[in-house]
DNA sequence: ATATTTGCAAACTATTTGCAGTTGT
DNA sequence: ACAACTGCAAATAGTTTGCAAATAT
């Protein structure tokens, strides 16, 4: 039922290769290598299809456009670097947070985003804004 | 320098009265009582001005449009009800989460959103989807 | 052969901005 | 009086969709 087009493979490969959640435009950019002429509409259509199908997961950070990562990995969180603005996966989780909610509320799930400096941005410039050091 | 217009007061009052973060359209709706003819552009302009000024705080939840709440209260988090989709303030905080980040990363801050059922949605219908019970 | 997929352009939603007229001080 | 503010309409950014042509099976 699902066809294996050049475009779809290029999109999947781009995300798998990135090893971090990508924005639709980053996907377009990376996937155009393997699928010349690839359009942004096709990127969006495939991202959605692959999310429905479970192959991808949508990564939503507060105030940011949706990013996409390879699906399948279990519950985890994300870290956004304030230097290069890239997002990284974080495997740890604070666990059950029912105790934080107001009395009478029932907690079923949670989203957590950490902010700070990634190793690369910390290393490159010792502490001050590291924009220049990251290829972003 | 800042003028005290009918529109601005209506917007501030609407948010203060709501006691929970409101979407721009909810603000427009609520503030139109005190400022007939109020336009959405004016709502956006005032929200931004009041955030800059510190009177309001922007509340960003993953995958949601920005909401606005009264500023000044310290660091806190939010809870979104899966029944009525409303957002509530949560005063508790899990504290320092440096230990969750990958080695070599430095954590400066975090965002946390809890998801579940608010008291009203839990109470009203015992457990099944409570959309009807909440005025949303 | 034919149903799915694609690229393009137009539509859509949320937000911002230019401008001419209105209003607070 | 006059700068700040307002409403409207047009612009913008991100995403979705209709359609005719291209393509995988």
């Amino acid at each position: 039922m699902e066809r294996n087009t050049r475009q779809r493979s290029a999109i999947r490969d781009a995300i798998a290769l990135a090893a971090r959640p990508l924005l639709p435009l980053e996907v377009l950019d990376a996937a155009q290598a393997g699928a010349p002429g690839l359009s942004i509409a096709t990127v969006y259509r495939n991202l959605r299809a692959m999310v429905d199908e479970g192959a991808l997961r949508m990564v939503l950070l507060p105030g940011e456009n949706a990013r996409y990562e390879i699906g399948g990995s279990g519950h985890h969180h994300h870290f956004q670097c304030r230097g290069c603005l890239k997002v990284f996966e974080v495997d740890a989780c604070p666990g059950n947070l029912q105790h934080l909610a107001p009395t009478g509320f029932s907690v079923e799930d949670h989203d957590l985003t950490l902010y700070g400096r990634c190793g690369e941005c910390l290393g490159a410039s010792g502490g001050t804004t590291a924009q220049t050091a990251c290829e972003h």
Side-chain angles (χ1 to χ4, degrees), chain A:
Chain A
M1 214 170 251
E2 307 262 80
R3 288 183 186 175
N4 214 39
T5 64
R6 195 166 30 88
Q7 290 87 338
R8 177 165 307 201
S9 319
I11 289 169
R12 184 180 9 250
D13 292 354
I15 295 172
L17 214 67
R20 60 179 177 84
L22 295 185
L23 296 164
L25 278 175
E26 293 177 313
V27 174
L28 175 67
D29 195 54
Q32 272 174 338
L38 174 63
S39 81
I40 189 67
T42 296
V43 170
Y44 277 109
R45 274 188 286 235
N46 278 286
L47 291 176
R48 174 193 283 258
M50 290 160 94
V51 166
D52 288 351
E53 182 188 310
L56 294 184
R57 170 201 301 248
M58 194 187 266
V59 176
L60 296 168
L61 301 202
E64 300 273 308
N65 297 331
R67 291 176 169 81
Y68 297 84
E69 66 182 10
I70 296 298
S73 40
H75 173 85
H76 61 266
H77 299 295
H78 293 90
F79 176 104
Q80 183 170 38
C81 177
R82 283 178 166 158
C84 60
L85 303 184
K86 282 183 197 152
V87 172
F88 304 87
E89 191 176 319
V90 168
D91 268 310
C93 170
N96 182 12
L97 298 172
Q98 174 67 57
H99 63 285
L100 296 181
T103 334
F105 283 42
S106 144
V107 173
E108 298 169 357
D109 199 4
H110 63 262
D111 258 348
L112 174 66
T113 311
L114 303 179
Y115 299 95
R117 301 275 164 178
C118 72
E120 203 172 314
C121 284
L122 269 178
S125 85
T128 356
T129 6
Q131 250 97 339
T132 11
C134 300
E135 78 263 19
H136 165 75

